[in-house]
Amino acid sequence: MKSRGTSCTLVVLAFLMLGFVGAREAAADPPKLVVLLVVDQMRGDYVARYGHQWTKGLHRLVSQGAWFSRAGYPYANTVTCTGHATISTGTFPATHGITGNSWFDSAEWRSVACSDVPGVTSISYGRPVTGANGPQHLRASTLADELRGQLPGPTRVVTMSVKARSAVMLAGRRAEAVTWFSPTAKGLVTSSHYTKGTVPFVEAFGRANPIDRDLSTPWTRALPVERYLFTDDGVGEAPPAFWTRTFPHAFGDASAPEAWAAWESSPRSDAYLGRLAASAVEALKLGQGAGTDFLGVSFSALDLVGHDFGPQSHEVQDVLVRLDETVGALLEVLDRLVGPDAYVVGFSSDHGVAAIPERLAADGLDAGRVPSDTIVKAAQQALQATLGPGTYRVRLHGADLVVEPAVSDALRAKPEAAAAVVRALRALPAVGVAYHAAELAQAAAAGDRDARAAWLGYHPGRSGDFVVYPRPHWLYVYGDGILAPGEGTSHGLPYTYDQHVPVILFGAGVRPGEYRRPATPADLAPTLAALCGIALPRPDGEVLVDALLPAGPARSVR
């Protein structure tokens, strides 16, 4: 991989070139449909831990696909928007520029959301909504963009998710349909960036499948209770007010906003997206035309549930059991309408998740929560001691510590002041890692793993002046609601539980099996591009050539 010029070597470059040549040889008969499936917050160890509960789609992907069981993100800011941009572009945040779900603009002293952009409006299939979502902040082209730009035949692009940022990042610049869910709209939404009005097949699907139909019966377990590991009422679980800590989980009356938020956070939103994806394949005849089409689906329920109930909960397990059914049904539609030898699937997750700190602490492990104000005050005191008395505005945004532009300039001119801030941060009991941004490149080149994780996620103008990570199993508690004191758990750090995710290839041109060599989700887009006979302009990921079949007649993986 090429990571900003600091870690490229001739050996790696030679490997990538050879890998791409080998992959292009396998693209003599490119797939008719490329499918990217992303499961938000799916830890890599869920496959081994909970895979025995799956019998359909997830089971089929793992058992009949090319499963890279040691895959993970090499960067630190493991969050939704960043992960989706990495998967879709084959690049890391240092290249694609999406450093978080949001970043803090020090010049304007405000947060900027990753897909919120000026000049566009929301188009609702339900009640009117405000907001403006588009891909303008993305600084790399997506696989879908490149398929449309490089292939001779027409390429239709369709993406969907519960979250706007997920659907947008999977699509890129242009698409036939980019769709997400809004509790305010009580239905589906799109953006004027992609269309001037509602998309007919989405509108027809919404009329035929009213969401409020899902609200009449509670969410219950799909399997007998004894099939689930751990307990249904774990230490530290913190569900929203409309749910209790144990099954069943009711949705309430459709007139209440909480009912729609509950639906969004349940496996029923995943199932709805699965049916919408199948409808897109049928209505638009995706994978059945002259060109190679693209379908991207991001399932969000696991993330919403995981934050509240934690990775050991019955709720997380049940979301996966039901997602297994949803993915299985979608694969069956693809088999029937496109053909099992005519489509290829890339499957991954945007990030993992930490265990609930209170649960770990109850077991005697070092875990807990630290208020963000603790970090801010330590930095302010160090600035006052080194730059002189005064009021210094400091903001901890994720793991980025941001100061005002004039202070940032002063720190660059006076490295000993920046070093004093770093020492003050590292002296805090809950802090595991702290760096000044100016030292990241050199530390990364010297082999510092944590510095490299920060450097791969660093993008000038969007990343902080300092990066500050708590110790493993510790979480920040922010006063602005990023992680409220009562929320169960979160993610976004350079630790295995956040970085390790599944990476799977399945379908046309793929050699099934478990592959235990390292890989990253950034490898999916270059590999899928190679299967289609195109090249991404500047990938950080590599072609997973060992998982590709040699050129020849189309082969079934069933």
Side-chain angles (χ1 to χ4, degrees):
M1 1 176 142
K2 65 174 176 103
S3 58
R4 321 200 39 196
T6 63
S7 61
C8 282
T9 65
L10 292 176
V11 173
V12 173
L13 287 172
F15 178 81
L16 293 180
M17 292 174 65
L18 289 172
F20 182 70
V21 170
R24 284 185 64 87
E25 291 175 354
D29 187 16
K32 302 293 290 181
L33 178 64
V34 174
V35 182
L36 264 183
L37 300 180
V38 182
V39 182
D40 202 320
Q41 201 187 110
M42 186 171 181
R43 283 172 47 145
D45 62 354
Y46 284 172
V47 177
R49 181 181 291 183
Y50 301 136
H52 66 281
Q53 298 169 340
W54 311 336
T55 60
K56 298 181 174 65
L58 296 180
H59 172 74
R60 186 175 170 190
L61 290 175
V62 172
S63 63
Q64 299 179 25
W67 169 36
F68 287 80
S69 56
R70 296 178 60 195
Y73 289 98
Y75 56 74
N77 38 340
T78 42
V79 295
T80 296
C81 204
T82 305
H84 281 77
T86 295
I87 291 168
S88 68
T89 66
T91 65
F92 298 139
T95 302
H96 62 60
I98 304 299
T99 59
N101 292 334
S102 62
W103 46 87
F104 199 76
D105 186 321
S106 62
E108 299 187 11
W109 208 251
R110 67 181 183 91
S111 177
V112 178
C114 67
S115 66
D116 286 1
V117 295
V120 299
T121 58
S122 292
I123 299 172
S124 176
Y125 294 88
R127 297 188 176 189
V129 294
T130 58
N133 287 277
Q136 284 85 334
H137 292 310
L138 186 62
R139 294 180 173 173
S141 60
T142 65
L143 172 63
D145 291 332
E146 294 299 326
L147 288 172
R148 186 190 291 273
Q150 294 188 43
L151 292 180
T155 293
R156 280 126 0 126
V157 175
V158 176
T159 69
M160 59 196 67
S161 179
V162 159
K163 300 179 182 181
R165 58 183 177 266
S166 302
V168 167
M169 292 300 148
L170 285 182
R173 269 60 178 182
R174 294 174 56 198
E176 276 59 41
V178 178
T179 312
W180 58 90
F181 172 76
S182 166
T184 303
K186 297 186 175 181
L188 301 174
V189 176
T190 188
S191 167
S192 63
H193 173 86
Y194 296 105
T195 179
K196 295 180 179 179
T198 57
V199 178
F201 94 84
V202 178
E203 189 167 21
F205 178 85
R207 286 196 305 267
N209 298 270
I211 293 174
D212 55 8
R213 186 186 297 166
D214 283 344
L215 306 180
S216 59
T217 58
W219 171 21
T220 59
R221 294 181 189 84
L223 302 176
V225 64
E226 60 270 15
R227 294 279 305 277
Y228 296 79
L229 305 180
F230 310 113
T231 179
D232 187 28
D233 188 5
V235 174
E237 292 185 359
F242 48 75
W243 277 345
T244 65
R245 289 168 36 147
T246 58
F247 278 104
H249 299 299
F251 296 97
D253 188 87
S255 62
E258 293 82 3
W260 299 86
W263 178 88
E264 181 182 35
S265 299
S266 78
R268 293 184 187 171
S269 65
D270 283 349
Y272 195 84
L273 285 177
R275 296 196 301 273
L276 177 61
S279 175
V281 174
E282 185 166 11
L284 301 182
K285 298 189 181 301
L286 297 181
Q288 302 160 66
T292 295
D293 295 323
F294 179 89
L295 173 65
V297 187
S298 176
F299 299 102
S300 305
L302 186 62
D303 180 73
L304 301 173
V305 168
H307 274 291
D308 295 331
F309 293 95
Q312 293 179 303
S313 64
H314 282 200
E315 285 78 6
V316 157
Q317 294 172 66
D318 199 72
V319 168
L320 289 166
V321 168
R322 294 183 181 276
L323 182 63
D324 176 56
E325 297 175 354
T326 294
V327 173
L330 178 59
L331 293 179
E332 289 177 359
V333 169
L334 297 176
D335 287 343
R336 176 170 53 85
L337 297 181
V338 182
D341 298 313
Y343 72 89
V344 63
V345 176
F347 178 93
S348 193
S349 179
D350 48 2
H351 54 77
V353 69
I356 294 176
E358 290 77 9
R359 186 162 191 159
L360 295 176
D363 292 334
L365 299 176
D366 178 32
R369 303 176 192 267
V370 55
S372 62
D373 286 350
T374 304
I375 311 298
V376 170
K377 290 177 181 177
Q380 288 173 327
Q381 290 171 358
L383 290 171
Q384 289 168 346
T386 55
L387 297 181
T391 300
Y392 295 92
R393 286 202 296 181
V394 177
R395 168 69 178 249
L396 184 64
H397 192 87
D400 282 339
L401 193 71
V402 183
V403 299
E404 294 175 274
V407 178
S408 182
D409 292 341
L411 291 171
R412 284 194 294 271
K414 192 176 182 182
E416 62 271 24
V421 175
V422 170
R423 285 195 301 271
L425 295 172
R426 290 177 178 173
L428 296 174
V431 169
V433 174
Y435 298 97
H436 184 223
E439 65 183 322
L440 287 176
Q442 184 175 354
D448 185 322
R449 180 188 182 277
D450 292 320
R452 181 176 183 271
W455 182 237
L456 290 175
Y458 183 87
H459 198 88
R462 296 182 179 178
S463 298
D465 297 275
F466 299 87
V467 291
V468 192
Y469 308 136
R471 294 203 312 272
H473 308 305
W474 283 75
L475 299 175
Y476 290 137
V477 179
Y478 298 88
D480 56 9
I482 294 176
L483 179 61
E487 187 174 355
T489 188
S490 195
H491 49 83
L493 298 171
Y495 302 128
T496 301
Y497 49 76
D498 283 350
Q499 293 179 317
H500 179 36
V501 295
V503 166
I504 299 173
L505 292 160
F506 171 91
V510 174
R511 188 192 305 275
E514 180 181 357
Y515 296 80
R516 296 188 57 79
R517 73 169 181 84
T520 85
D523 299 333
L524 284 174
T527 304
L528 294 169
L531 280 169
C532 295
I534 68 169
L536 300 184
R538 48 175 182 165
D540 292 314
E542 64 183 50
V543 175
L544 299 171
V545 66
D546 45 335
L548 302 183
L549 292 169
R555 305 183 183 202
S556 174
V557 299
R558 298 178 66 184

